[in-house]
Amino acid sequence: MDRFSEYRVMWVLVLFDLPTETKKDKKAYMDFRKNLQRDGFTMFQFSIYVRHCASSENAAVHIKRVKSFLPEFGQVGILCITDKQFAQIEVFYGKKPQGVKTPGQQLELF
């Protein structure tokens, strides 16, 4: 059972800021994103992609793969955290908290 521990399961986050000023830059940006998606990463935010990994050994394989297709220019950060840490992320959509929407009153027709 230790194999499925929330401390053993990992998340790999790839954070990047790549230039898109020239056609060559845009192509490198698109190729990098496509390579991330081919390797099983999904978009968390526009420049943040995440991937679930069963273990730190599996995460190391994907980190090595990301390093193999790094673009020539721009900044790329790779962060590896446990499933327990990832579960503590708080995500907000806008500044104001969203209240619970109550359903409207049901009307009866005779």
Side-chain angles (χ1 to χ4, degrees):
M1 270 325 229
D2 187 44
R3 190 171 111 177
F4 299 110
S5 167
E6 56 196 4
Y7 296 100
R8 181 161 166 70
V9 174
M10 305 298 288
W11 285 86
V12 178
L13 288 80
V14 177
L15 310 94
F16 56 92
D17 187 15
L18 303 178
T20 56
E21 295 170 2
T22 67
K23 281 188 176 185
K24 185 179 176 182
D25 289 342
K26 288 178 186 176
K27 181 171 177 8
Y29 169 80
M30 294 303 293
D31 288 346
F32 183 69
R33 285 186 58 242
K34 286 178 186 177
N35 283 327
L36 286 174
Q37 291 169 341
R38 278 189 209 117
D39 195 35
F41 284 84
T42 56
M43 186 175 14
F44 187 74
Q45 289 184 350
F46 287 122
S47 294
I48 301 174
Y49 279 69
V50 296
R51 188 185 199 293
H52 184 264
C53 296
S55 65
S56 58
E57 295 83 11
N58 182 245
V61 168
H62 293 286
I63 290 170
K64 184 178 179 181
R65 202 169 289 155
V66 170
K67 288 179 180 179
S68 75
F69 55 75
L70 287 173
E72 186 178 359
F73 300 105
Q75 293 180 324
V76 177
I78 302 171
L79 177 66
C80 195
I81 60 174
T82 65
D83 192 44
K84 180 76 170 175
Q85 292 167 321
F86 189 78
Q88 295 175 358
I89 292 176
E90 294 183 65
V91 179
F92 298 90
Y93 297 99
K95 240 180 177 178
K96 296 180 182 178
Q98 298 291 323
V100 178
K101 294 183 179 182
T102 55
Q105 183 180 4
Q106 177 66 41
L107 298 175
E108 291 182 28
L109 298 174
F110 296 95

